[in-house]
């Protein structure tokens, strides 16, 4: 009986987390990650990783990459592995969880796509997604606030002549 009471204790709070599928341009699912669009800090974290991105990719200029996208020699393998490790840490930091595997589990982040690294394409898509989701959340909050304050704004509505 005592154990059941302990198991029942707990608080559940809706933090706005959603599970988001990641698809390629052909509509095939390549991963899934958890995201909190209501997290004000995600924009700050995105800007931080965007600033650090060149620090991650710059060492790759010294790597000899073969036609398979792998290091052609031992030093190049180390450079690529270190860049990938740092990139994964940044993505996991951005989403406060293990999201790097969802984005890069099926394709090397440094594979070329459209003249850019695949990870650059992914970061651009992530930035657009965050912006769109965050703006939608802010619009919902503004709409809700407007519903309750519409009569008080600039003395319009039922309270325009003051409280009676």
């Amino acid at each position: 009986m005592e154990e059941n009471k302990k198991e029942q204790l707990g608080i559940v709070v809706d933090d706005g987390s959603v599970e988001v599928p990641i698809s390629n341009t052909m509509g095939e699912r390549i991963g899934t990650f958890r995201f909190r669009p209501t997290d004000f800090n995600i924009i700050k974290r995105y800007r931080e990783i965007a600033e650090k991105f060149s620090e991650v990719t710059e060492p790759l200029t010294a790597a000899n990459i073969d036609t398979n996208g792998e290091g052609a020699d031992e030093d190049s393998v180390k450079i690529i592995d270190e860049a990938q490790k740092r990139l994964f840490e940044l993505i996991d930091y951005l989403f406060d969880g293990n999201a790097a595997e969802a984005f890069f589990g099926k394709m090397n982040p440094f594979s070329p796509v459209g003249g850019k690294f695949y990870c650059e394409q992914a970061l651009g898509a992530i930035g657009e997604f965050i912006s769109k989701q965050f703006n939608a959340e802010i619009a919902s909050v503004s709409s809700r606030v407007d519903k309750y304050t519409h009569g008080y704004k600039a003395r319009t509505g039922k309270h325009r002549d003051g409280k009676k």
Side-chain angles (χ1 to χ4, degrees):
M1 186 80 167
E2 186 72 26
E3 277 187 44
N4 278 345
K5 282 186 177 181
K6 288 182 181 178
E7 288 179 28
Q8 293 175 3
L9 292 176
I11 298 172
V12 176
V13 177
D14 182 2
D15 66 355
S17 292
V18 293
E19 194 166 274
V20 181
I22 305 165
S23 301
N24 63 17
T25 56
M26 297 173 60
E28 299 167 335
R29 183 176 287 196
I30 58 175
T32 304
F33 70 101
R34 294 193 193 282
F35 171 67
R36 288 185 307 272
T38 55
D39 180 4
F40 278 108
N41 291 325
I42 198 160
I43 294 171
K44 180 185 92 157
R45 291 192 306 267
Y46 182 82
R47 288 181 181 140
E48 286 177 33
I49 70 162
E51 288 176 14
K52 293 179 180 179
F53 185 74
S54 63
E55 295 172 20
V56 171
T57 58
E58 194 278 325
L60 293 172
T61 59
N64 294 318
I65 301 174
D66 64 21
T67 55
N68 295 325
E70 299 173 0
D73 53 64
E74 197 172 311
D75 288 339
S76 296
V77 169
K78 287 179 185 176
I79 290 169
I80 294 168
D81 288 349
E82 181 61 28
Q84 185 167 321
K85 178 183 170 203
R86 291 184 66 205
L87 176 66
F88 278 36
E89 288 170 356
L90 290 176
I91 297 297
D92 290 346
Y93 166 71
L94 173 63
F95 291 111
D96 194 27
N98 185 11
E101 184 65 30
F103 285 95
F104 309 118
K106 293 189 177 186
M107 186 167 176
N108 186 295
F110 302 114
S111 298
V113 176
K116 297 179 179 179
F117 288 129
Y118 169 63
C119 58
E120 288 179 272
Q121 299 281 12
L123 283 173
I126 289 168
E128 289 176 27
F129 178 80
I130 289 170
S131 179
K132 182 178 176 184
Q133 295 301 310
F134 193 78
N135 288 340
E137 287 292 330
I138 294 298
S140 292
V141 169
S142 292
S143 175
R144 186 171 160 270
V145 169
D146 286 348
K147 177 180 160 185
Y148 293 106
T149 62
H150 73 278
Y152 298 96
K153 290 185 177 180
R155 292 287 195 202
T156 61
K158 70 179 185 179
H159 299 290
R160 70 178 166 268
D161 295 327
K163 192 173 185 179
K164 291 185 180 181

